[in-house]
Amino acid sequence: MIINSTELQNNFGKYLMLAAQEEIIITRNGTEIAKLTAIKETSVKNNTLPDKVHEKAPEYSTYGKKATYEEFLQLKQESDERFEYIDGEIYLLASPRTAHQIAITELFGIFYNFFQGTNCTPMISPYDIELRRTPENISIVQPDMMIICDLEEKLNEDDYYKGVPSLVVEVLSKSTRRKDLIQKLDLYMSCGVNEYWIVNPDNKEITIYLFEDNNISDNATFKNNEAAQSFIFDGLSAEIQRIFRV
C-alpha cells in the first residue's frame, strides 16, 4: 500500500493497524520517504538475558529479545545503565546529543514558567513512568519530558509516581525514530496520555497529537516561524526557532 504523508498523519491509528497485515509506503511530493511495517520478534537460542548489551545504534539499542517483567526488574537492580521496558522488550538508553538536550532545556523552561502556581508539574528524564495496556501488560518508559497533574494523589509509599502523565514529550533521533513514532505513540495513546509532543531536531519541527478514547482525535505540525500550540492546555505554546536554536 502507498499513501502520502498527509494521509498518514490524519489517520495514523488506522494505518498503524493495517501495518500489521501489510507494508505501507509513505510518500511526500510523490517521492517515497519511509515505510511502515510490523515489528517481528527476533528468535533467540535460550531464555537467559545476555551478559552484555550490544548496541545497534549509539543512542537507543535493544537486547533483541523478549523478557519478562520480572527479568527487567532484576536487570534494573543489577545495572547502573538506564533501561525502558516496552511491550515485553528491554531497551538500553544511551546519552543524547546536544540538539536533543537544548530542545528539552528550552521546552522545560517554557513549561516550568507556564505551570507555576498550578497543580501540574513538568518532569524530565530519567523518571520512570509505568503504563499498563492491561493489568498484566506493564511497560516502563522514561519520556524525555512530561507534565503530571496528579502527582500528589498518585505517589506511592516509596515516593514513586503511579499515574499517567497528561502530556508527554519525546525528542527524535535517527535510532529512536521508529520507537517514538510508532511503538511509543501507540503505547501512550492506549494508556491514557492526553497529548504527545514529538520534537524533531533534524527537520526542526514539532508534531503534537491529541488522544481521545484511545485514538488520535487531532494532530498538528509546527515549523519555521510558528509556535507549537497545546491542544489540552490553553495558552501553552513554544516558539520553534527557540527550541531549535542550534
Side-chain angles (χ1 to χ4, degrees):
M1 179 184 297
I2 299 177
I3 59 172
N4 61 48
S5 57
T6 301
E7 171 69 11
L8 178 67
Q9 287 185 346
N10 292 339
N11 300 279
F12 188 84
K14 167 187 172 182
Y15 290 110
L16 188 65
M17 298 303 176
L18 289 175
Q21 305 174 22
E22 62 178 301
E23 184 177 275
I24 298 174
I25 305 297
I26 299 99
T27 65
R28 178 179 292 170
N29 298 325
T31 302
E32 295 182 0
I33 59 171
K35 65 180 177 181
L36 188 62
T37 61
I39 299 175
K40 298 180 180 179
E41 294 186 14
T42 304
S43 61
V44 294
K45 296 182 179 179
N46 53 61
N47 293 323
T48 60
L49 288 173
D51 294 331
K52 296 182 180 179
V53 176
H54 299 284
E55 297 192 16
K56 295 181 179 178
E59 297 163 46
Y60 204 118
S61 52
T62 175
Y63 277 108
K65 73 176 291 292
K66 297 289 184 177
T68 67
Y69 182 61
E70 289 71 24
E71 288 173 327
F72 167 71
L73 293 179
Q74 181 180 354
L75 177 66
K76 280 192 63 179
Q77 292 176 352
E78 296 175 351
S79 175
D80 293 329
E81 301 284 359
R82 293 173 53 214
F83 298 98
E84 290 185 316
Y85 182 70
I86 304 174
D87 293 330
E89 192 168 358
I90 297 174
Y91 297 91
L92 169 67
L93 300 176
S95 298
R97 296 175 184 253
T98 301
H100 175 289
Q101 292 301 84
I102 290 177
I104 284 297
T105 300
E106 292 290 348
L107 273 175
F108 182 78
I110 293 169
F111 284 14
Y112 179 84
N113 291 330
F114 182 85
F115 289 106
Q116 281 289 291
T118 73
N119 64 340
C120 297
T121 304
M123 304 284 281
I124 58 174
S125 184
Y127 191 68
D128 283 346
I129 296 296
E130 178 183 295
L131 299 175
R132 295 174 180 255
R133 293 184 187 272
T134 67
E136 298 78 23
N137 187 348
I138 305 172
S139 292
I140 303 293
V141 293
Q142 293 190 2
D144 289 318
M145 190 164 67
M146 67 222 81
I147 303 300
I148 296 174
C149 297
D150 57 356
L151 187 62
E152 294 184 3
E153 297 91 336
K154 295 297 176 67
L155 285 180
N156 67 11
E157 58 185 14
D158 296 320
D159 198 36
Y160 288 108
Y161 176 68
K162 294 299 180 180
V164 177
S166 298
L167 185 154
V168 168
V169 178
E170 297 284 6
V171 180
L172 298 183
S173 69
K174 291 181 180 178
S175 54
T176 68
R177 185 180 303 272
R178 187 175 72 169
K179 295 290 186 298
D180 292 339
L181 290 176
I182 300 175
Q183 196 168 0
K184 278 192 169 182
L185 186 150
D186 182 64
L187 180 69
Y188 295 148
M189 179 177 64
S190 302
C191 294
V193 173
N194 300 126
E195 187 167 294
Y196 181 30
W197 290 40
I198 298 177
V199 180
N200 189 338
D202 290 336
N203 294 341
K204 293 182 169 34
E205 295 179 350
I206 295 178
T207 297
I208 302 178
Y209 290 94
L210 174 65
F211 300 140
E212 294 179 337
D213 299 323
N214 297 329
N215 209 337
I216 298 171
S217 63
D218 206 347
N219 69 90
T221 298
F222 305 90
K223 56 186 177 180
N224 300 328
N225 295 320
E226 298 173 335
Q229 305 281 339
S230 171
F231 288 109
I232 65 173
F233 295 111
D234 188 31
L236 176 61
S237 65
E239 295 180 2
I240 296 300
Q241 289 189 342
R242 174 177 173 180
I243 304 305
F244 304 115
R245 59 183 177 83
V246 295

